[in-house]
Amino acid sequence: MPDLIREMYLEVRAVGSDEAVTVVEILSPSMKRPGEGRTQYVRKRRVITSSLTHLVEIDLLRSGEPMPIQRWHGTSDYRIMVSRAEQRPQALLLSFTVRQPILSFTLPLYPDDPEPTVDLNDLLHALYDRGGYDLRLNYRGDPEPPLAPPDAAWATALLQAAGLR
């Protein structure tokens, strides 16, 4: 019997009308591998980007095939795309490497609403500390997929300095 995978996302909705203002998607492994999960997400992405709803797509996975972005041919370990409905087909792409902090972005809302800055780097560090992940995760092995040699040496030095290797 196949595993049932439930994909979660966040919708920012308007008070009163309950209209979807912004959808925030954090890409999962099934969205980045060929198959039904990717097909469903690409379809959902197309529906959102054809609407008046903003889309924030967060890719913090080095493995798998990145989502296609027209006219961008660069490479990066991680990406955050902010697609504002009123600016399509243009979108803001924040790309960064394993050595850089996760970049902050402004959450798009209605034109007259103040837009908060989302600092994922600080948020994830706080969750990591609060959850005690330094005690739960095994940092002795190599990451999967493997890092490029210069990045692997950098990561090893960080882990050694923290007493995790």
Side-chain angles (χ1 to χ4, degrees):
M1 191 159 180
D3 289 335
L4 179 62
I5 298 174
R6 189 167 170 212
E7 302 288 356
M8 304 295 284
Y9 58 94
L10 174 68
E11 282 186 348
V12 177
R13 294 188 160 272
V15 175
S17 70
D18 202 37
E19 178 183 22
V21 176
T22 306
V23 173
V24 179
E25 288 277 359
I26 299 176
L27 298 186
S28 68
S30 67
M31 293 174 180
K32 293 190 67 180
R33 287 191 301 253
E36 187 60 29
R38 185 175 182 94
T39 301
Q40 286 178 2
Y41 178 66
V42 168
R43 188 177 311 120
K44 178 181 179 180
R45 185 186 200 219
R46 197 173 302 121
V47 167
I48 294 169
T49 56
S50 298
S51 74
L52 296 176
T53 302
H54 306 298
L55 173 65
V56 176
E57 185 177 273
I58 302 169
D59 183 359
L60 300 178
L61 298 172
R62 290 184 306 107
S63 63
E65 184 66 29
M67 287 294 141
I69 297 181
Q70 290 182 347
R71 295 186 296 271
W72 188 73
H73 305 290
T75 58
S76 63
D77 294 316
Y78 312 108
R79 304 188 308 184
I80 298 171
M81 180 190 68
V82 179
S83 175
R84 292 175 175 273
E86 70 276 5
Q87 294 177 351
R88 291 189 186 116
Q90 302 297 316
L92 173 65
L93 180 65
L94 304 169
S95 61
F96 49 104
T97 69
V98 71
R99 294 191 200 199
Q100 296 172 304
I102 300 170
L103 300 172
S104 298
F105 62 91
T106 302
L107 186 70
L109 299 173
Y110 282 144
D112 293 332
D113 291 340
E115 297 183 339
T117 298
V118 179
D119 188 339
L120 278 181
N121 196 65
D122 284 353
L123 177 64
L124 291 177
H125 279 271
L127 290 171
Y128 179 90
D129 292 342
R130 201 172 301 152
Y133 286 99
D134 59 328
L135 303 173
R136 296 179 183 199
L137 299 175
N138 178 6
Y139 290 100
R140 302 224 178 267
D142 292 328
E144 193 58 44
L147 293 168
D151 292 335
W154 170 83
T156 297
L158 277 181
L159 293 169
Q160 287 173 341
L164 298 170
R165 266 204 186 164

